[in-house]
Amino acid sequence: NAGVTQTPKFQVLKTGQSMTLQCAQDMNHEYMSWYRQDPGMGLRLIHYSVGAGITDQGEVPNGYNVSRSTTEDFPLRLLSAAPSQTSVYFCASSLRERYGYTFGSGTRLTVV
Amino acid sequence: GQQVMQIPQYQHVQEGEDFTTYCNSSTTLSNIQWYKQRPGGHPVFLIQLVKSGEVKKQKRLTFQFGEAKKNSSLHITATQTTDVGTYFCAGPTTGNQFYFGTGTSLTVIP
């Protein structure tokens, strides 16, 4: 099993550009989430999904879109990149409620 | 903002000393989880506590869940350099959202 795979590992964007961060898991997990990590801020929830076709907002959803068309994939789209979106992004999945989350290795995004 | 607060934010200890980090929630949690993130790495799940007053041990690590299920602690006995990293607590809130605390960064001085 590959676990949770995130691509790309590093990305530099110009302000205003759009892009999609990919996340895939092969563990048949129902729950998937996107977090961003900034120094001193811990991990902040962007969007999450409790199953295919179901998504909802976390605490910092503005500027990001998600979709969950399959159980395996949960891409995060940046609509119009801003320097404030410079961060490390982690995708995580869990079998279901009350199970631990497995994290991907992260995407380090810089917006200039 | 954050639903789960964690203290201290940073802790430096001499190798062999003990270390404790505390996690506090403003609401009752159905369960709480702990994660460790090594420098430059990703968070790794350590353990989950579910019951009021629950205590679990993993070698030198002791995890506790408060009686009111609003707080938790992680205690490491006789720290080693391999314990270096940031320790996060995390818990569910309404609507299946899963929030992480701000984390405690542990530095172990050899």
Side-chain angles (χ1 to χ4, degrees):
Chain A
N1 285 348
V4 178
T5 303
Q6 285 185 244
T7 56
K9 293 190 182 302
F10 301 93
Q11 182 72 51
V12 179
L13 287 178
K14 293 183 178 179
T15 298
Q17 287 184 319
S18 62
M19 80 160 294
T20 299
L21 278 60
Q22 301 292 343
C23 176
Q25 53 91 8
D26 61 357
M27 299 171 285
N28 203 30
H29 284 180
E30 291 184 9
Y31 284 31
M32 295 187 75
S33 299
W34 276 101
Y35 293 88
R36 60 177 289 174
Q37 185 172 36
D38 304 293
M41 300 292 289
L43 291 150
R44 291 185 292 170
L45 181 64
I46 305 172
H47 285 285
Y48 66 101
S49 169
V50 297
I54 306 169
T55 63
D56 209 342
Q57 297 180 351
E59 61 179 315
V60 288
N62 292 341
Y64 308 94
N65 273 356
V66 292
S67 60
R68 185 97 180 269
S69 56
T70 66
T71 299
E72 294 79 18
D73 299 300
F74 191 43
L76 178 72
R77 280 180 285 276
L78 278 69
L79 309 174
S80 177
S84 60
Q85 293 179 305
T86 293
S87 187
V88 179
Y89 291 84
F90 288 104
C91 178
S93 73
S94 173
L95 183 60
R96 50 182 174 269
E97 188 180 4
R98 293 199 176 195
Y99 281 74
Y101 276 81
T102 300
F103 279 76
S105 57
T107 295
R108 186 173 296 274
L109 176 68
T110 302
V111 182
V112 298
Chain B
Q2 290 287 347
Q3 305 280 344
V4 179
M5 302 304 296
Q6 210 170 332
I7 56 171
Q9 188 173 2
Y10 302 97
Q11 186 78 58
H12 292 71
V13 299
Q14 292 283 344
E15 189 173 14
E17 291 183 339
D18 292 355
F19 159 78
T20 304
T21 174
Y22 300 90
C23 183
N24 295 290
S25 171
S26 56
T27 59
T28 300
L29 299 170
S30 60
N31 65 85
I32 195 160
Q33 298 179 1
W34 285 91
Y35 292 76
K36 176 183 178 181
Q37 183 178 24
R38 295 183 183 274
H42 58 274
V44 174
F45 174 71
L46 294 177
I47 206 162
Q48 176 174 263
L49 305 171
V50 177
K51 299 177 182 177
S52 169
E54 188 170 14
V55 178
K56 287 189 176 181
K57 292 189 176 183
Q58 288 181 349
K59 297 183 180 179
R60 295 178 293 104
L61 278 62
T62 301
F63 303 84
Q64 291 188 321
F65 201 8
E67 293 291 340
K69 301 183 76 174
K70 287 187 173 184
N71 57 76
S72 181
S73 65
L74 158 60
H75 179 82
I76 302 178
T77 303
T79 55
Q80 300 175 358
T81 54
T82 54
D83 296 325
V84 165
T86 301
Y87 292 86
F88 293 97
C89 62
T93 60
T94 57
N96 294 311
Q97 300 184 40
F98 203 77
Y99 285 104
F100 280 74
T102 47
T104 296
S105 175
L106 173 63
T107 300
V108 179
I109 304 164

